[in-house]
């Protein structure tokens, strides 16, 4: 059986044969060895490793936007520290010079006398603050820092014990002051994307461990450690450019938004079909999904979907984060005695000095969805008002330039490294350590590339790469003795419960003794026996 093709004119009437190709048949796309969805740090890193093997692997990278890089410049992707092993190694490989945030902003040696605005009242005591308020702030800071140490004691072990208690109940039981609880609710929300009421203690500790420690997260927010950035490239554009050059721009398809991933069987092997938003299709033996958590939820899987973590409840408060950069004629904050660093959970504001006469930071708001011009203008006015209020300088409400980028707060859930052995997950979400940071994105890309190579060209994998994929660095795990666990569990709340409990016991014993003596004397006065 064959199809007859009718021409529009009498002159063009080709003879139909059984070998004529039907005009409505869509050509089958070529079969790639590997398709990488996402040209962020994770996807580019995976492509770099695969390409450097020179094993004849036909791969292609698909990026939904018109440029590579992904979500850089966000809260936890602004810098790295010297503890971030994979990021430091990559910068050394590309000869990318790094400098601390303070050195980049050309702060003079007098910064030692400048003050930072921290979450526990890190400003010096002044006449306006009462003695009791100062003591209370000191106790809140002591309690919170002690609780950070206890959380690290619980989450830096190799096997975290199961604990189904609600994390918010855990905070109320462990912390005495409501100010401390508010701080940790804010810390958990911006660190994991979830509120404590949505997490169990076990889930929260696992997420904190994937970030290496709670102290690392706290140090990042308050800029306490030696945070590093590429010289002259605060948003890591130089790293993205180097990765694209190593991968090859001809291997990257831009403006290609993959919306469907379908697994089919052809000739007794699994083939993955990719479909973009325009309906165009590609085929590959294996696929690496190096996209963010939010983008991953927008991809339709056929015939089934992998299990994801629950999505956060947007009705609980904060939903979006506004990353801002403000430039002024002069560093007014230093003239008023401040470093430019702000970590203010009550105001949902984080800020630091990012360059010459320039401040950058993040403001968290309850806005959800696409932000219009009126809402963006409102966020801008709020940020400038908070900066002027915190630095006690009204001039800061009139900057030379103010840029704001609003996006949802990223949330992190657990996904398996592979799905049906042909779909491999990358991005910072599946990294073993420093999840959410640049180092987590790099390590997630390394892990995905090694998993793909183990399926496509297993003979190219070295022993070091196989162990590095797991990232089992036992220096992150700390063995805690029973004495240490007991010591870290001591806090103001536990001491208060002990004092109150001891007082209640002593009071009960005293009342009991008094009742016994009363009954004894009452029995003697009546000539009977006391009961």
């Amino acid at each position: 059986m064959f199809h007859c093709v009718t021409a529009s004119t009498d002159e063009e009437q080709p003879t139909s044969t059984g070998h004529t190709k039907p005009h409505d048949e869509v050509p089958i796309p070529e079969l790639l060895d590997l398709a990488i969805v996402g040209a962020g740090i994770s996807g580019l890193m995976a492509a770099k490793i695969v390409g450097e093997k020179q094993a004849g692997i036909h791969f292609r990278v698909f990026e939904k936007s018109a440029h590579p890089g992904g979500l850089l410049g966000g809260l936890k992707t602004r810098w790295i520290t010297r503890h971030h092993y994979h990021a430091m190694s990559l910068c050394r490989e590309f000869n990318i010079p790094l400098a601390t945030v303070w050195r980049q902003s050309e702060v003079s040696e007098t910064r030692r006398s400048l003050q930072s605005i921290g979450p526990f009242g890190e400003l010096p005591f002044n006449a306006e603050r009462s003695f009791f308020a100062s003591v209370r702030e000191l106790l809140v800071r002591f309690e919170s820092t002690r609780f950070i140490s206890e959380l690290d004691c619980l989450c830096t072990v190799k096997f975290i014990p199961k604990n189904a208690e609600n994390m918010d109940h855990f905070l109320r039981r462990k912390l005495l002051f409501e100010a401390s609880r508010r701080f940790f609710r804010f810390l958990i929300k911006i660190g994991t994307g979830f509120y404590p009421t949505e997490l169990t203690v076990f889930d929260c500790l696992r997420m904190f461990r994937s970030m290496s420690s709670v102290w690392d997260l706290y140090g990042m927010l308050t800029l306490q450690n030696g945070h590093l950035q590429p010289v002259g490239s605060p948003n890591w554009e130089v790293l993205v450019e180097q990765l694209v050059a190593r991968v090859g721009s001809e291997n990257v398809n831009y403006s290609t938004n993959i919306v469907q991933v379908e697994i089919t069987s052809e000739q007794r092997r699994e083939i993955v079909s990719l479909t973009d938003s325009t309906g165009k299709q590609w085929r590959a033996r294996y696929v690496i999904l190096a996209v963010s958590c939010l983008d991953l939820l927008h991809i339709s899987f056929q015939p089934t979907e992998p299990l994801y973590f629950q999505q956060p409840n947007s009705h609980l408060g904060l939903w979006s984060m506004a990353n801002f950069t403000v430039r002024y004629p002069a560093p007014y904050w230093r003239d008023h005695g401040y470093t430019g660093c702000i970590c203010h959970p009550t105001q949902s504001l984080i800020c630091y000095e990012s360059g010459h006469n320039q401040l950058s930071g993040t403001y968290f708001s309850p806005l959800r969805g696409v932000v219009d011009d009126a809402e963006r203008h409102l966020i801008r006015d709020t940020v400038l008002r908070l900066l002027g209020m915190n630095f006690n300088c009204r001039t800061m409400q009139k900057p030379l330039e103010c840029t704001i980028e609003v996006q949802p707060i990223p949330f992190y859930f657990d996904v398996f490294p592979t799905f049906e052995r042909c779909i491999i997950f990358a991005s910072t979400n599946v990294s073993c350590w420093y999840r959410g940071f640049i180092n987590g994105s790099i390590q997630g890309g390394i892990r995905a590339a090694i998993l793909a190579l183990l399926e496509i060209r297993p003979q190219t994998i070295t022993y070091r790469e196989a162990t590095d994929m797991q990232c089992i660095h036992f220096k992150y795990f700390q063995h805690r003795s029973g004495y240490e666990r007991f010591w870290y569990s001591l806090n103001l709340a536990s001491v208060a419960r002990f004092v109150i409990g001891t007082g209640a016991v002593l009071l009960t014993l005293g009342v009991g003794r008094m009742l016994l003596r009363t009954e004894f004397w009452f029995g003697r006065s009546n000539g009977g026996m006391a009961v």
Side-chain angles (χ1 to χ4, degrees), residues 126 262 367 503:
N126 51 45
E262 182 178 1
L367 298 178

Side-chain angles (χ1 to χ4, degrees), residues 378-446:
L378 178 62
I379 292 176
R380 177 186 181 276
D381 291 344
T382 303
V383 169
L384 295 179
R385 177 178 56 81
L386 291 177
L387 292 178
M389 181 175 63
N390 282 285
F391 296 134
N392 196 22
C393 179
R394 296 176 59 184
T395 311
M396 298 195 65
Q397 299 187 40
K398 300 178 180 179
L400 294 176
E401 183 181 355
C402 180
T403 59
I404 293 179
E405 179 184 354
V406 183
Q407 62 189 35
I409 298 177
F411 62 95
Y412 303 103
F413 48 79
D414 291 330
V415 294
F416 294 106
T418 61
F419 177 62
E420 299 292 341
R421 294 190 61 86
C422 54
I423 296 179
I424 303 166
F425 297 98
S427 83
T428 184
N429 188 59
V430 295
S431 60
C432 299
W433 297 102
Y434 296 105
R435 179 181 294 188
F437 296 85
I438 289 180
N439 191 89
S441 299
I442 296 173
Q443 196 259 323
I446 294 174

